[in-house]
Amino acid sequence: MSLADAPVAPVYDQAQLDQMAKAMATMQAQIKAMQAKLAAVRAKNATLEAQQETERKNQSAKKVNNKPDATKPSQTDKSLIQRVADAVAKKNAAPIKVGGAVRFNYTLEQFNQNSRNTVGDLNFDTFRLNLDGQIDNVILSAEWRYYDYMQVIHHAWVGYKFTPNWLVRAGVVKVPFGNLPFNSNSYYFSSLFYAGFEDNYQLGLSTTYDLGNWRFDAAFLKNPQPNGFGTSSYSENVVGFDNGLDPSDPNYQRTDAKPINTVVGRAEYTWKANDDLTLKPGLSLMRGSLYGQNQREGDYHAYAAHLVADWQRWNLKLEYADYDYALNNKLAERLVYGAYAYNSFGPTSAKAVTAGVAYALPVHWGPISKLNFYNDFSRIYDKNDGIDPTWMNVSGVSVVAGPVFAYFDFVQGKNQPFVGGNLAPARGSGNAPINRLFNINLGYYF
């Protein structure tokens, strides 16, 4: 920097200097006034602290009839404080939570030549939306699903909690029958799902009451969802019965029918044998009617004995079920089910046994946090009219990785829907083969 670039000191005249001195004097006076106010506040605080200390000492010295210290909040005060805090939390929380999932499916079917030629097929499985929430004692739960071939209501109910142990629901509710919430571990459920006795939903009322170690469920189900004889349904519902022939046979006859006015009762006891072992034995009963286009077509009943056992990382599910549809039409040989945009067929009476075992393994493999290895076995037998038994075995593993959940299933079955067969094959169709498939279901849940 040259001398020509150096800054030049400013020059003030006498009037400017006098003005600056006056401003400084004013600032000094303001500072002294603030210091005086601060000293007064400190003195006042010191006096208040002394008074509070004296009051605390006096309160500690008081003992009148062993009454609690009045300066401490009573249980009523604590309850009021908690209610206020809960009310604030409820106000700040969203009353209805929105969730859902997007799922894709890869399937390689050994019994399908086209599937073998293309080394399997990758398809869009499901897009679903969930609504769940609670305002005071009123609860909402609903789920809508979109498939390539249909849209369905999975469930949709409004509930009221009369007490912490007693809940009543109305709407499209889960049928409380057998092991809950599921009687299986795999994507394909157990064979009882395809007979309408696992993860089934219908329109009506249901209630759950917990009494200590006991859980009691009951339901009155007016009719299926949707109310009719079609196939646009998540649940496997009876939509009619036929004479047992193949639908392509010119002598084939079918009569529409749907379950109505079904009553269900279920009881389950939780026994914690020790820190590692918990047993949940239970019984389920069901009774209802079938109604056709204009008349009653018969009655039906079912019952089941079931057990869930948890030991350390192991889980066991066992169930025995027996059901019978007493139809007025003597020509009725098979039930017709409607779901997933197609019809399947089943016996009018049968017995069933299911067994599923699973082992949960926590891991730390990148985003993967849990593996669940399982094997589910089902058998439906002692069917009416000597119809061949059904069996299915699913070996697989489910994987949890953050919001991603995946099933890897190897399925073997005979006379099993979705595995190249039916619970009740057409009369004269011959001995069904054992069919196999490999399936991967991948979903993102939010």
Side-chain angles (χ1 to χ4, degrees):
M1 178 184 293
S2 66
L3 291 175
D5 297 326
V8 178
V11 178
Y12 297 99
D13 58 21
Q14 187 61 42
Q16 290 175 320
L17 292 174
D18 292 341
Q19 188 177 0
M20 293 173 64
K22 185 177 179 181
M24 292 180 64
T26 301
M27 292 177 62
Q28 288 176 349
Q30 291 175 345
I31 291 172
K32 287 181 179 181
M34 292 176 64
Q35 288 175 339
K37 289 181 181 180
L38 181 60
V41 171
R42 287 176 176 172
K44 185 177 180 180
N45 288 342
T47 301
L48 290 173
E49 289 176 358
Q51 290 175 351
Q52 291 173 355
E53 181 64 22
T54 301
E55 289 176 1
R56 281 196 294 269
K57 289 180 179 179
N58 291 338
Q59 291 291 343
S60 299
K62 289 181 181 179
K63 291 183 179 180
V64 182
N65 297 328
N66 294 324
K67 290 184 179 179
D69 189 343
T71 62
K72 296 180 180 179
S74 65
Q75 291 298 325
T76 303
D77 295 332
K78 290 180 180 178
S79 177
L80 178 60
I81 293 170
Q82 185 61 48
R83 289 201 299 271
V84 172
D86 291 344
V88 172
K90 286 183 179 180
K91 184 176 180 181
N92 293 335
I96 302 297
K97 296 181 179 179
V98 179
V102 178
R103 306 194 313 196
F104 301 88
N105 218 52
Y106 168 78
T107 307
L108 174 60
E109 299 173 335
Q110 159 269 331
F111 53 90
N112 186 325
Q113 185 61 50
N114 287 332
S115 179
R116 294 203 306 269
N117 292 342
T118 60
V119 195
D121 297 291
L122 180 63
N123 294 296
F124 173 79
D125 178 30
T126 314
F127 172 70
R128 82 184 203 196
L129 285 177
N130 292 77
L131 300 175
D132 293 281
Q134 179 172 350
I135 300 176
D136 296 327
N137 292 331
V138 180
I139 302 170
L140 168 71
S141 182
E143 181 176 307
W144 169 84
R145 294 191 175 192
Y146 171 82
Y147 300 87
D148 277 344
Y149 45 87
M150 67 175 186
Q151 301 179 43
V152 298
I153 296 296
H154 178 270
H155 71 272
W157 55 263
V158 175
Y160 187 81
K161 228 171 191 180
F162 287 92
T163 70
N165 301 329
W166 183 24
L167 173 63
V168 176
R169 311 169 195 83
V172 183
V173 298
K174 190 182 188 78
V175 179
F177 188 88
N179 283 322
L180 296 179
F182 304 104
N183 186 42
S184 54
N185 301 284
S186 71
Y187 176 75
Y188 280 82
F189 296 100
S190 73
S191 293
L192 281 174
F193 172 85
Y194 305 89
F197 296 109
E198 182 184 356
D199 202 36
N200 189 277
Y201 295 84
Q202 297 193 28
L203 276 161
L205 298 171
S206 73
T207 182
T208 300
Y209 185 76
D210 293 309
L211 182 63
N213 292 333
W214 285 95
R215 169 178 169 166
F216 298 98
D217 293 276
F220 173 74
L221 308 167
K222 194 68 187 77
N223 46 255
Q225 163 60 31
N227 180 17
F229 312 105
T231 61
S232 296
S233 170
Y234 165 82
S235 301
E236 291 281 357
N237 296 317
V238 174
V239 295
F241 54 87
D242 66 13
N243 60 355
L245 298 177
D246 189 278
S248 62
D249 192 295
N251 296 317
Y252 177 75
Q253 295 180 7
R254 169 183 162 173
T255 301
D256 290 337
K258 62 184 180 183
I260 62 166
N261 302 336
T262 301
V263 178
V264 186
R266 181 182 183 274
E268 180 183 80
Y269 182 79
T270 299
W271 177 44
K272 192 172 179 59
N274 53 52
D275 291 340
D276 293 328
L277 178 61
T278 300
L279 301 175
K280 293 183 179 181
L283 291 172
S284 298
L285 301 173
M286 178 185 296
R287 186 171 184 83
S289 299
L290 289 178
Y291 198 83
Q293 295 283 2
N294 299 299
Q295 64 184 5
R296 184 170 174 170
E297 298 290 352
D299 300 305
Y300 72 98
H301 70 266
Y303 65 88
H306 37 88
L307 171 71
V308 175
D310 290 291
W311 180 70
Q312 296 181 356
R313 295 177 180 173
W314 291 91
N315 172 266
L316 176 67
K317 297 179 179 71
L318 300 174
E319 184 167 329
Y320 168 81
D322 189 313
Y323 65 93
D324 182 31
Y325 288 75
L327 300 170
N328 299 330
N329 192 327
K330 300 301 181 182
L331 298 178
E333 293 188 19
R334 299 188 305 180
L335 298 174
V336 182
Y337 292 93
Y340 300 98
Y342 91 118
N343 288 126
S344 63
F345 307 92
T348 59
S349 65
K351 297 177 175 62
V353 291
T354 65
V357 61
Y359 180 80
L361 178 65
V363 297
H364 301 283
W365 298 347
I368 300 176
S369 59
K370 182 181 177 182
L371 302 175
N372 194 50
F373 300 91
Y374 50 80
N375 191 88
D376 292 335
F377 177 78
S378 309
R379 187 170 187 262
I380 299 180
Y381 62 100
D382 197 13
K383 302 175 182 178
N384 63 287
D385 296 327
I387 298 173
D388 289 343
T390 291
W391 67 265
M392 179 174 66
N393 193 83
V394 186
S395 301
V397 58
S398 60
V399 180
V400 178
V404 176
F405 188 92
Y407 292 99
F408 296 82
D409 290 331
F410 176 64
V411 186
Q412 302 181 82
K414 183 175 181 179
N415 296 321
Q416 172 63 47
F418 281 89
V419 195
N422 267 297
L423 297 180
R427 187 168 7 115
S429 58
N431 188 28
I434 297 175
N435 293 323
R436 300 174 178 86
L437 66 81
F438 175 70
N439 188 81
I440 300 174
N441 186 269
L442 181 67
Y444 182 94
Y445 294 78
F446 57 90

